[in-house]
Amino acid sequence: MASDDRNGEQAAGRVFEPSPEFSAAAHIGSMEQYRGLHQRSLEDPEGFWREVSDEFEWSRPWTVLNEWNEPFTKWFVDGELNITVNCLDRHIDAGYGDRIAYHWEGEPGDTRPITYAELLAEVCAFANGLRELGLEKGDRVILYMPMIPELPVAMLACARLGIVHSVIFGGFSADAIRDRVNDAGARAVICTDGSWRRGKVIPLKENVDNALADNACPTVEEVIVFQRCEDEINFEDGRDIWWHDLVAGKPETCDPVMVPAEHPLYVLYTSGTTGKPKGVVHATGGYMVYTALTSKWIFDLKDDDVYWCTADIGWVTGHSYIVYGILANGVTSVMYEGAPDFPDFGRLWEIVDRYDVTVFYTAPTAVRAFIKWGDEWPAKHDLSSLRLLGSVGEPINPEVWLWYHRVIGGERCPIVDTWWQTETGGIMITPFPGAIATKPGSATLPFPGIEPDVVDEQGNSVGANERGLLIVRRPWPGMIRGIYQEGWGQPGHPGEFGERDRFVSTYFEKIAGVYLAGDAVTRDEDGYYWIIGRIDDVLNVSGHRLGTAELESSLVEHPAVAEAAVIGFPDDLTGEAVAAFVTLRGGFAAGDDLQLELRNHIGNQIGRFARPKMLRFTSALPKTRSGKIMRRLLKEIATSGEVTGDTTTLEDIGAIAALRGDDEE
Ligand code: PRX
C-alpha cells in the first residue's frame, strides 16, 4: 500500500478538535452537551427516549419503555406503528414530498432522481402487488437485488404490510441463497434478471433458479423479477412473475399495516463462529428510533444535506444508513449501483462533485484502495461540498485516516469512525462530529443509551490502555432480538425466541449478564475506545464478515478435500485476507488446476468475495496433542510468506510444527 510513513508518524498522538464553525451549526455542538446527553440517557432513559420517540408517528403510543429478560429485550413495548409511515408519509404530510429521497446513479450511466412522494407511490403500488399474491404480515420474503431504487421499494413495501424481509447481498451464490431461503422459510423471492458489475451482467435470476431447483426450497411460491439488464432469462410459469406486470394498474396508495413495536422488521444473515449463518432479527420500533437518532446526530443531518453511504444494502450498513435511518430523517441520499473503479478510479469523486455530496460514509478498505489508485483521481474533481466523512466496518489505520482527512476532506471535514455490528442495529461507539475531538484510529466514545466496558475473561473491568473484551452492560433499542428460527414470536412454539441456545452462547454466556460483542479493544485514559479486531473465528475481509467454519465446511464438501483449516492474515488492501490450508483425499493431486477449482468451489458455494487469497496443500495440518488445529502457527506461516516451495504443490506444514516443537495447548 502507498502508505505514507510521514503521515503514520504524524498520526501518533494527534487530536483533531471539531472546528468552531462546524460545532456552531451542529445538532450536538459541544462536549458538555454530549456528556449531558449520555448521562441523561443512562440516568433517565424514560425521559430521554420519550423525547426522541415523540418525533415519530405511533398509531398507539408506548407506555412501557423497555423490558429486559436476559438475554431478551423489548423496547417501546406496547407501542404500535408502521415504519414506512415514519420514513415516507410523515415527510410528505409535512410538505416535503418533492424532496429527492435518492439520486440514483446506475452503473452504465443511467440516472434517476426519486422524490419522497414518488418513493411512497412505488412502495404502495408494489405493496398492493404483494398483497394480491396473498403475502401478509409475518410472512418472510427474500430480496436478492442490486443497488437500484427497487431494492428499498421492495423493503419498504414489505414493511408497509408487516412482511419480514431478508435481503441477501448480490455477491452471494445459489447455495448461500438456498440456505437462507430455507432458514427463513420464505414464501417469495424478489430478484432482478441480473445486475451490472464493471460493464458485465451478473446473472442474479439464474442464481435464484439454481437455488430453487429440484424443489430445494419448498416454501417458495413466487419469484418476482424486476427487469434491469434485459438479458434472456429462464422464466418458470406459475412461479415467476415480472415486477412490471405485478404493479401494472395497482393503486399508488396503500393503507399501512400497523404492527407492535416488537414485530420483526427484518432478518439479516451474518457469519458467526459455526458453519451456519445466523439470522439476526431486528424489531420495528426500537430499530427505527435507534437508526434514526444515530443518523441524525452522528451524520449531523440537516435538510439541505446530500448524504452518500457507499455500502451495499445487502449488508447492515445499507439497511440502517441507506434505507431506514436516513429516510426516517427525510434527507436526500445518493445511491450508486456500480463499482468504485468503473469506468475509472475517479468514479466516486465525479459523483460527489456532480451531486454536491455533503456527507460521505465508506469503509477503510475503500479508502485504502483510493490511496493505492493515487491522489490524482480525487484531485480532478471539486470535493468542496463535503463537510463530514465517515468510516465503518473495520479498524481504520491512523495513516489511512489522515489521508482521508487530508485528501478527501480537505482538512476541514471531521471524520466519524463508527463502531457497530449487524447485531447492534446501529452505531454504538462514534465521535459526535461537532462535539468530540477525534484521534485517528479510535472510534472514541459511546452513543447515548450505550454503556460499554472493557473487561477481562472473568468480566472484570480492565485498566486504561489494557487490552480486553468489548461488552455492553445494558440493552439498547436497536439491539438484536434473537437468531431467527421457524415459529419466531409464536407463544408456546419451540421457535418462539429463535435459536435460543445459540443466541445465549454467542453473546451472553462467556461473560454473564452482558452483551459480548466479540471484539478485542482498549480504552485510553480519556475513555476513548480503540477497536483491535475479532476475538473469535470471524474474519473481516474488506469489511465483509466471514466465518472460518463456514469456509472450512464448504471446502470439505469438495470431493478432493479431506480436511481444511481457514485463517485470516493481514492484507494491506482488504484488511484481512483468507488463507486456506487443505489436505487431500487419496487419488487427488495438488496442482494449479485443483487450486483454481477449490477457489471457484468457494465462489460457487458462498460467493466470489469469499474466495481465499492463499490456498495451500499440505500433507497434514499441524495439530496439538489434543487434536486442535494450530491456527496461530498457520497464521504465522501465511503472514511470513514463508513458503516451502511452489504453493500449488504439497507442503509438509505438519512437519514445520513438529520441527518447531510448537504446541498451543
Ligand atoms: O470487528 C468489528 C468490525 O466489524 C464487526 C461487525 O461486522 P458486521 O456485523 O458485518 O457489521 C459491519 C458494519 C457495521 C465488528 O465486530 N467493525 C465494525 N465497525 C468497526 C469495526 N472495527 C473497527 N472499527 C470500526 N469502526
Side-chain angles (χ1 to χ4, degrees):
M1 184 185 63
S3 96
D4 187 332
D5 283 344
R6 187 176 47 87
N7 278 336
E9 277 165 31
Q10 277 181 357
R14 282 190 68 180
V15 176
F16 291 78
E17 298 286 345
S19 71
E21 305 81 65
F22 195 100
S23 297
H27 286 298
I28 311 299
S30 72
M31 198 59 182
E32 291 77 31
Q33 202 184 350
Y34 159 73
R35 292 250 184 248
L37 284 169
H38 192 256
Q39 193 179 350
R40 169 150 189 248
S41 71
L42 299 188
E43 286 171 2
D44 173 25
E46 291 268 339
F48 179 85
W49 292 111
R50 170 65 69 196
E51 256 168 49
V52 170
S53 65
D54 271 357
E55 285 190 25
F56 299 94
E57 275 183 31
W58 302 79
S59 54
R60 179 188 157 139
W62 58 272
T63 62
V64 180
L65 175 67
N66 165 240
E67 275 175 19
W68 176 229
N69 295 313
E70 190 204 319
F72 299 105
T73 193
K74 292 184 179 178
W75 283 82
F76 313 114
V77 183
D78 50 348
E80 285 183 9
L81 74 160
N82 184 287
I83 195 169
T84 69
V85 169
N86 285 290
C87 288
L88 302 171
D89 310 56
R90 191 164 59 98
H91 309 310
I92 296 159
D93 295 346
Y96 300 121
D98 291 339
R99 182 178 290 170
I100 304 285
Y102 294 114
H103 284 293
W104 177 72
E105 184 76 25
E107 194 207 71
D110 40 346
T111 61
R112 185 184 162 203
I114 175 164
T115 65
Y116 274 88
E118 287 163 348
L119 189 56
L120 176 62
E122 293 204 15
V123 166
C124 287
F126 191 63
N128 286 323
L130 295 176
R131 192 173 257 164
E132 183 182 81
L133 295 176
L135 288 156
E136 56 188 20
K137 180 178 159 194
D139 285 343
R140 278 83 54 213
V141 168
I142 294 285
L143 277 55
Y144 180 63
M145 300 169 80
M147 290 286 287
I148 55 175
E150 286 71 18
L151 175 50
V153 167
M155 294 164 80
L156 294 159
C158 288
R160 190 89 176 161
L161 302 180
I163 295 168
V164 181
H165 62 68
S166 184
V167 182
I168 301 179
F169 170 57
F172 277 110
S173 67
D175 289 21
I177 300 170
R178 187 182 310 126
D179 293 347
R180 288 157 175 75
V181 167
N182 286 334
D183 191 84
R187 264 200 57 186
V189 176
I190 306 173
C191 65
T192 57
D193 50 353
S195 72
W196 290 108
R197 197 70 183 164
R198 299 193 176 90
K200 287 210 209 93
V201 172
I202 314 269
L204 296 193
K205 173 63 165 56
E206 194 181 308
N207 292 346
V208 171
D209 287 338
N210 290 337
L212 304 187
D214 304 323
N215 200 29
C217 300
T219 55
V220 173
E221 292 168 24
E222 281 98 15
V223 176
I224 302 164
V225 189
F226 181 81
Q227 192 169 29
R228 170 69 186 131
C229 300
E230 296 178 19
D231 269 19
E232 262 312 275
I233 55 161
N234 160 56
F235 215 75
E236 214 154 296
D237 286 336
R239 186 196 71 182
D240 297 353
I241 172 164
W242 284 112
W243 174 299
H244 50 256
D245 288 339
L246 187 65
V247 297
K250 292 286 180 307
E252 294 185 339
T253 56
C254 171
D255 284 342
V257 172
M258 297 300 167
V259 298
E262 279 302 310
H263 183 69
L265 175 64
Y266 68 78
V267 177
L268 184 59
Y269 287 87
T270 188
S271 297
T273 48
T274 62
K276 191 169 159 264
K278 295 182 291 226
V280 172
V281 177
H282 281 296
T284 309
Y287 179 82
M288 175 186 79
V289 171
Y290 196 69
T291 56
L293 184 69
T294 46
S295 298
K296 180 174 168 181
W297 283 352
I298 299 165
F299 302 118
D300 192 42
L301 295 177
K302 314 271 175 50
D303 277 358
D304 54 355
D305 270 315
V306 179
Y307 162 93
W308 184 14
C309 166
T310 67
D312 192 288
I313 292 175
W315 308 106
V316 75
T317 305
H319 280 62
S320 299
Y321 299 112
I322 297 178
V323 184
Y324 292 110
I326 301 302
L327 294 178
N329 280 284
V331 299
T332 297
S333 309
V334 171
M335 177 175 175
Y336 174 49
E337 181 186 27
D341 55 354
F342 187 84
D344 64 36
F345 295 140
R347 181 67 159 140
L348 301 189
W349 316 124
E350 182 264 320
I351 295 175
V352 168
D353 190 352
R354 187 147 40 87
Y355 292 109
D356 288 329
V357 171
T358 56
V359 182
F360 182 75
Y361 190 34
T362 196
T365 192
V367 184
R368 291 192 292 262
F370 305 152
I371 297 174
K372 193 174 120 194
W373 297 338
D375 294 17
E376 63 271 28
W377 293 98
K380 284 184 199 181
H381 301 278
D382 179 4
L383 307 183
S384 61
S385 55
L386 289 171
R387 65 182 194 90
L388 174 60
L389 302 175
S391 172
V392 59
E394 37 168 342
I396 182 163
N397 335 39
E399 70 272 22
V400 172
W401 192 105
L402 281 186
W403 183 92
Y404 194 28
H405 184 255
R406 180 170 52 88
V407 178
I408 305 303
E411 294 186 333
R412 82 189 163 272
C413 303
I415 296 179
V416 289
D417 174 1
T418 60
W419 176 85
W420 60 296
Q421 309 176 295
T422 307
E423 293 88 338
T424 68
I427 296 167
M428 302 285 280
I429 301 180
T430 175
F432 272 40
I436 298 177
T438 52
K439 303 181 189 180
S442 170
T444 76
L445 298 170
F447 194 79
I450 307 305
E451 192 188 1
D453 200 358
V454 188
V455 299
D456 62 19
E457 301 273 335
Q458 284 70 46
N460 304 312
S461 301
V462 303
N465 300 314
E466 273 180 52
R467 184 187 168 116
L469 308 173
L470 179 56
I471 59 149
V472 186
R473 291 211 175 273
R474 58 167 91 192
W476 63 97
M479 182 176 170
I480 177 175
R481 297 307 198 256
I483 300 174
Y484 186 81
Q485 192 179 24
E486 196 209 326
W488 178 270
Q490 294 172 28
H493 190 286
E496 180 181 356
F497 299 105
E499 291 189 59
R500 189 183 190 131
D501 293 347
R502 199 168 167 213
F503 186 53
V504 172
S505 66
T506 311
Y507 306 107
F508 294 96
E509 204 163 70
K510 196 163 172 172
I511 316 281
V514 297
Y515 173 82
L516 179 73
D519 280 327
V521 66
T522 61
R523 187 174 44 196
D524 68 17
E525 44 292 315
D526 297 323
Y528 278 39
Y529 288 79
W530 299 75
I531 312 292
I532 298 166
R534 301 287 309 185
I535 52 164
D536 50 14
D537 295 325
V538 171
L539 308 182
N540 191 330
V541 179
S542 299
H544 296 163
R545 199 161 138 180
L546 289 169
T548 54
E550 215 176 319
L551 293 160
E552 286 164 5
S553 53
S554 165
L555 280 167
V556 296
E557 274 176 39
H558 189 280
V561 176
E563 235 188 336
V566 168
I567 49 121
F569 66 105
D571 184 274
D572 280 349
L573 205 59
T574 57
E576 230 177 346
V578 175
F581 294 82
V582 296
T583 65
L584 296 177
R585 289 182 189 280
F588 290 92
D592 285 338
D593 291 351
L594 186 58
Q595 191 181 63
L596 185 68
E597 192 176 317
L598 292 179
R599 294 184 74 239
N600 286 340
H601 171 76
I602 291 197
N604 293 335
Q605 282 218 325
I606 301 174
R608 284 176 65 84
F609 66 93
R611 290 185 308 176
K613 180 170 181 190
M614 179 188 287
L615 192 142
R616 293 166 72 160
F617 299 105
T618 170
S619 49
L621 289 172
K623 291 197 180 147
T624 63
R625 260 166 304 182
S626 64
K628 274 198 285 178
I629 292 171
M630 299 163 79
R631 291 178 184 279
R632 195 153 23 99
L633 172 65
L634 292 178
K635 215 172 192 131
E636 264 175 49
I637 292 172
T639 310
S640 70
E642 178 188 318
V643 178
T644 51
D646 176 357
T647 51
T648 57
T649 58
L650 205 63
E651 299 174 80
D652 193 352
I653 290 169
I656 300 180
L659 267 177
R660 294 178 20 153
D662 271 3
D663 203 330
E664 289 180 347
E665 306 223 47

